[in-house]
Amino acid sequence: MKIKREIIEKIILHAKKDAPVEACGYLAQKDDIVIRHYELTNVDKSNEHFSFDPHEQFQAVKDARAGGLEVCAAYHSHPHSPARPSNEDIKLAYDPQLRYVIISLANGKEEVRSFKINDTHVEQETIEVIDDD
């Protein structure tokens, strides 16, 4: 996954802002580079799981499509656990085409990882951070 540095910084900031509740949202790409993020409300207000606000979710997808972008990933934070999918994350990963990005804030360290999840098969993928020219 290729992602602009400013987007990585914004999703980490979102994770910190929403902590101890899990932050969540979408990432959208153009020409295979993530250039936009959509912060969504975690309606569960939980530090262990999340659910998107359906209205915000629809608006984000609509906005991305209108801007010629493709929603390519869902992201969420793990305020107190590592940047790897939990059993619940794996169970709820409904779209094998979507990437699942996890931001960990555990132990005062920031870590961002991306995964492809298909049924129970989890594969970590490399994140290439792209600096603006």
Side-chain angles (χ1 to χ4, degrees):
M1 166 187 273
K2 295 180 182 179
I3 184 168
K4 289 198 168 214
R5 183 173 304 280
E6 71 174 288
I7 302 303
I8 289 278
E9 291 169 355
K10 287 179 179 179
I11 64 175
I12 290 171
L13 188 63
H14 182 202
K16 288 179 174 181
K17 180 182 70 170
D18 282 13
V21 170
E22 286 193 2
C24 58
Y26 275 140
L27 300 176
Q29 67 183 7
K30 185 169 188 153
D31 301 325
D32 294 322
I33 299 173
V34 175
I35 61 170
R36 178 90 196 263
H37 82 296
Y38 293 91
E39 294 183 12
L40 303 177
T41 302
N42 177 354
V43 295
D44 293 341
K45 297 188 184 335
S46 170
N47 64 351
E48 295 181 351
H49 53 87
F50 72 97
S51 295
F52 292 148
D53 175 291
H55 177 72
E56 291 177 357
Q57 184 179 14
F58 176 75
Q59 288 302 115
V61 172
K62 187 176 167 184
D63 183 78
R65 288 181 180 161
L69 304 176
E70 172 194 4
V71 172
C72 62
Y75 74 86
H76 72 282
S77 63
H78 282 181
H80 306 292
S81 59
R84 66 173 176 255
S86 67
N87 289 336
E88 182 177 1
D89 293 337
I90 294 167
K91 183 176 73 172
L92 297 175
Y94 64 93
D95 185 348
Q97 301 304 312
L98 205 61
R99 294 171 174 121
Y100 297 90
V101 174
I102 300 174
I103 304 110
S104 173
L105 302 176
N107 302 317
K109 297 179 183 173
E110 304 157 1
E111 184 175 25
V112 181
R113 291 187 176 174
S114 178
F115 301 88
K116 291 182 180 179
I117 303 173
N118 189 350
D119 196 21
T120 58
H121 178 73
V122 177
E123 181 181 340
Q124 184 175 336
E125 68 173 344
T126 302
I127 295 177
E128 181 182 344
V129 179
I130 306 294
D131 288 307
D132 289 328
D133 296 337

